[in-house]
Amino acid sequence: QVQLVESGGALVQAGGSLRLSCAASGSIFSIGAMGWYRQAPGKQRDVVASITSGGRTTYADSVKGRFTISRDNAKNTVYLQMNNLKPEDTAVYYCNAYITTRNGMSSMYYWGQGTQVTVSS
């Protein structure tokens, strides 16, 4: 079994900062790309940032220069540092990872349960 557990969501004022964490655990052989998505009420889930196993990063235009994604491969953890937060960043943030399991060596994308980020104006 594989689990992704996010943490770090909170209520913060505009201009503030938050750091989200997502730790993968279970029968993991390897982890490929990891990413963060967000979903605001009534909207679709959109990608925020992603990072390859080698550390190459991509960002949505709306967060470039404000958010930074990073990972600690030894801890199977991905982070999202969010600075200069805006009310439009309010959403449930989900982490996503492409994981190969030890049992049967199957590979698939896994999702975390989500963490709420609310930015007040």
Side-chain angles (χ1 to χ4, degrees), residues 19-115:
R19 188 192 195 207
L20 305 183
S21 300
C22 173
S25 63
S27 183
I28 297 171
F29 176 76
S30 66
I31 302 178
M34 305 181 83
W36 287 95
Y37 290 69
R38 66 187 181 187
Q39 187 168 20
K43 295 187 177 181
Q44 67 180 20
R45 188 176 298 186
D46 291 324
V47 62
V48 174
S50 64
I51 184 168
T52 67
S53 56
R56 185 168 57 191
T57 59
T58 59
Y59 296 92
D61 287 343
S62 60
V63 306
K64 282 181 180 177
R66 300 188 298 122
F67 291 10
T68 302
I69 189 171
S70 61
R71 63 191 286 170
D72 184 334
N73 291 329
K75 296 182 179 180
N76 290 339
T77 299
V78 62
Y79 305 95
L80 186 68
Q81 177 67 44
M82 305 185 293
N83 298 327
N84 190 21
L85 282 160
K86 303 176 181 181
E88 52 264 42
D89 294 318
T90 295
V92 177
Y93 284 70
Y94 298 89
C95 72
N96 170 274
Y98 189 71
I99 296 174
T100 300
T101 61
R102 295 185 183 277
N103 300 331
M105 297 294 284
S106 64
S107 301
M108 61 179 284
Y109 285 99
Y110 290 83
W111 290 92
Q113 81 287 353
T115 186

